[in-house]
Amino acid sequence: MQHARILDAERLSVLQATSLLDSAVPVPSLDRLTGLAARLVGARVAMVTLIDSDRQKFVSACGLPPALDEKRESPLTYSICRYVVEDDAPLIVPDTSRSDRLRDNPAVTVLGAAAYAGFPLRAPNGRVLGSFCVVDSKVRDWSADDLATIGDLAHAAESEIALRLTHGDQVLAAARMQAVLESAHDAYVSIDHDSRVVAWNGAAERLFGWSISEAVGRSITELIIPERFHEAHLAGMARVRATLQSQLSGTRLQLSAVDRHGREFPAEMSLQVCFERDVPFFHAFLHDISDRIDALIELERQRQEVDDDHTFLHSLLDSLDTGVAACDRDGNLTFFNRALREVHGRDAASGEPGETWAEQYDLYAPDGVTPLGADEVPLARAHAGETVRGQHLMVRSDAGEQRRFVCNARPIDSQDGRRLGAVVAMHDITDAYRAEELRRARNKVIQVLSEATNAEQAAIDAVRVITDRLSLACGEYWQVSEDRERIERLSSHVTGGLDLSAFTGDQPVAFDRGEGVPGLVWKRGAEVWGSEAPPDIVHSRSDSASRSGLRTAIGVPVRSGRRVLGVLAFYTSEELPHDPDIAAMLDAVAAHLGRFVERRRNEDLTLALAESRREQVEQLRELDRLKEELSAVVIHELRNPLGVIRGYTEMLLDNPRLDDLGRRHASVVERTTTHVQRLVDDLLDLARIDAGHLEIDPLPLPIGRLVHDVVDNHRPTAYGRKLTISERLDTQLPVLGDPQRLRQALDNLMSNAIKYTPEGGTVTVLAQETGGRVVIEISDTGIGIPAEQYPHLFSRFFRASNATAKGIKGTGLGLAVTKAIVEAHHGTLVACPAPTGGTTFAVSLPPAGHDFQTSAGSASAGGASTTG
């Protein structure tokens, strides 16, 4: 059985690394050592043996029998050197026949080894590889000098073996390195100090087109360096040779290279400079980076496109009046456009998390009081995955201004479903919302006035509606006393559950002329708006107003002509700057209320007059005659002053220096003048009818187109009252008529249909040929006409009782004039209840072939007969 040391795997591996086990080539250095040992010691045989797992190898020997010398190895059974390995120590035997271990060894019994002295041959790692030994054919005592000599020679043999091992490692490492270089994807090029190639791998062959045999020994300058760089390369090489230093060693460079066919391309090179005995050698790895350069160019192009798109998108978003904000994938704020920066007075704080948005940017619920929760912010909801549409919210600016927005928001996801962020668009509806609220308040007041049974109740209800609709703290109606000595509070209304008892109180309150807000409005006859109470508004309630937190007072006069009948007074708990829209709405409401009060008084007088008319029929007939004469006089006397008033009013409205208050007053004058002008025109037409002078200038015209134009002119009014207009018109219907007069008649009918139809109703207009006549029907879903009053509908100054009860204004002249115009065209005008509950007016006209000349006087006669 073999000894463990002999079979040690690491020892056997080192033994193989010596390359001596299977080599038949003599090793001169070892042969000299064994020859020297034999001469110095005087032994017959000297050997260097290596012990393999199953044999011993005579690497060098002197004095061996011819058979062994030729074979140079023997089995381990013939080996004495094996015991040097097993013992890991020298083996000195003067007489082998006396050695229990060796006496039966064939080397003794067959080969005649009588004396043996062997020393271990150790590898650098300490493993014993074999033995340096001498063998004699006779017994001898080995002297100390003999052993010392053998030992020294053994150490010399060890050094030789160590050198072979080192060389073997170097050869192996070189082979390994060459394999690595050959398998590398990068070209490897090594040059000496004269720029001549000393190494060139397969990748270099593929990259540059030169084979290894063609490249090695040639100048790198002519192989791969573009001609324009030759001088610079040679100068750099000379500098390294002179200074023995290189600034480029250990760096990664980008340069231009050229291949065998003259193709120039960008390359990346990693360079190392090594100095061998002060001679520089250059080692470089190179690879073609054309694809990388192309990719970088494309990447730069795409980056520029992204930058351009980014700039374009930002400019586009900044051009919008709609506010836009965005957040990133982590829910952090990233962007405000210009409109939103103006709203908040600052840009988005980059990276601000959604939990802080509501507080940082003063976001409130639509009531303007309740702060939005973090999960209620539209952008946060969108980032969480919601699509938000039409969410209302309020934003408070640093100046205390509140803006109302409608928000639409959505998440931004990639095609593969990854959340990239979210975006919100905030539409500022402050002005539109306020205008709509003012319109609703005004319409609600008009509804209240139409339903009120007396002037006082109308004023009280109007104040309540305005206070609630505009979210004011308190509203009051003050009425001037009958003796016009005092102004007294008639009602007080508080909103939102506020406790203003210290200000409103339960006791009656009255002021002198000029005292408090109501008294000052009465005295001035004009609006009062105070964010802070001026000295002339201070009164007995000033302290209680301050304690109650009321900071703005608004007062508007209710007039009948120049006479102030009462005052609408409102109070808020906020600093409310003068708002022209609110002021105009309150002025219009006050005007409505003033007319309502005056109309109610007139109606009371009319009822009283009707009661007395039963007893004074003859006197009224005389009065009617006088009225007609007076109307004629008034008509002619009013036309010129009205023209002057309208002219000066237009001059005032065109004057750019006219202030807002003056412009409002001038607008009121213009509206009133227009209304009076229409009344005068109606009276004048009636006078012409009575006198037989209603002029008709008939022309051929398509009546359907005229009807369409009239309907279009009335659409804005109808839409303002939320009415639906339905048309079924034959636009080619030919008639012979006066376009101006027919337009006047149709205008009156359309105006009445819209005026007497409540919000949400429908007006239907039909124009068609029926029975050889052209028929125009205008139907509504309005309040209708009491059946018993249809016979009086076309009488002058007649007003249906239900219209009067609802407070719908009118003169009672329009239908009389309309009927006269229709009959002057040889047509008929009739009214009947509509199927939908309102009223239908039907105009029947002769077709275009009708001859107006056959009865020249019939127009005046017909017109007079219908209005008598």
Side-chain angles (χ1 to χ4, degrees), residues 699-701 703 733-737 769-775 825-827 844-852:
L699 298 170
L701 59 92
I703 190 65
L733 287 175
V735 299
L736 191 65
E769 183 177 0
T770 303
R773 304 275 290 181
V774 175
V775 178
H825 283 77
H826 297 178
S844 176
L845 297 173
H850 181 75
D851 187 6
F852 277 80

Side-chain angles (χ1 to χ4, degrees), residues 1-13 51-54 76 85-86:
M1 179 177 288
Q2 301 290 8
H3 195 278
R5 281 203 178 97
I6 291 178
L7 298 178
D8 178 65
E10 186 174 354
R11 189 191 75 84
L12 294 174
S13 175
I51 305 303
D52 201 356
S53 60
D54 58 352
L76 286 184
V85 175
E86 291 178 359

